[in-house]
Amino acid sequence: MRHNKKFNHLSRTASHRSAMLANMAISLIKHKRITTTLAKAKELKKYVEPLITRCKNDTTPNRRVVFRYLQDKEAVTELFKEISQKVGDRPGGYTRIIKLGFRQGDTADICFIELVDYDEKMAKTPKTGAKKTRRGRGGKKADAAEAPATDAAPAAEAPAEEAKAE
């Protein structure tokens, strides 16, 4: 029976799984985006997000706990200095998983996992000024009001063109 066994073992022993997740977390912290399979990305998200939450409070015990998971001084330093500044006001959800398709060899789901605050393309999306709704009457009245204004300008130009043609 599978009672209270909530995480994916990824077909690995416990030591192999913890080493792999630690290496992937270090790569994610250093490079801000890595490409991997969907199952590994979902497990990495569960592994790295509590560490990022812990880095918001820069104390010696928190650094020791994070170092116990990562075992890389440069990654821990970058996590506590640079990344904690960017995610300081975010209440959670520090990573984003975007699916890319299937791997050709074994048709595994491929995706990339990235830190949310480091994607410039997603951060600079322009916001629309007016909120559009799908109400029936609002759109028709607005279109009717704009139609005479656009029709009036060509009608005024038409007699002038006819006078030139004569």
Side-chain angles (χ1 to χ4, degrees), residues 20-161:
M20 181 192 65
L21 288 174
N23 287 332
M24 289 175 68
I26 292 167
S27 297
L28 179 65
I29 290 167
K30 286 184 179 178
H31 301 292
K32 311 301 187 264
R33 175 189 287 182
I34 58 172
T35 304
T36 183
T37 61
L38 185 62
K40 287 179 187 175
K42 286 180 178 179
E43 287 303 307
L44 179 61
K45 186 171 190 165
K46 289 189 237 178
Y47 186 85
V48 79
E49 289 210 0
L51 299 179
I52 296 173
T53 301
R54 194 167 284 273
C55 81
K56 288 182 178 182
N57 188 7
D58 190 4
T59 61
T60 304
N62 283 348
R63 281 183 177 264
R64 286 180 178 160
V65 168
V66 171
F67 185 76
R68 189 175 72 208
Y69 282 93
L70 295 181
Q71 294 291 316
D72 189 299
K73 286 183 183 179
E74 292 84 19
V76 172
T77 303
E78 186 167 351
L79 186 64
F80 275 90
K81 292 207 173 177
E82 184 182 338
I83 295 174
S84 67
Q85 298 300 318
K86 285 237 183 187
V87 301
D89 56 343
R90 185 177 287 274
Y94 311 112
T95 57
R96 174 188 299 129
I97 296 175
I98 298 178
K99 296 177 185 176
L100 298 176
F102 300 101
R103 190 162 50 199
Q104 189 174 10
D106 59 354
T107 64
D109 287 328
I110 296 296
C111 65
F112 64 78
I113 181 169
E114 66 181 358
L115 295 175
V116 172
D117 295 318
Y118 285 91
D119 190 10
E120 293 82 20
K121 293 177 187 173
M122 295 283 195
K124 292 182 182 177
T125 55
K127 294 186 177 180
T128 57
K131 183 179 177 183
K132 295 183 179 181
T133 60
R134 293 186 55 153
R135 295 188 185 125
R137 292 263 183 212
K140 291 179 183 175
K141 286 183 181 177
D143 292 340
E146 291 178 20
T150 56
D151 291 340
E157 294 174 7
E161 290 177 10

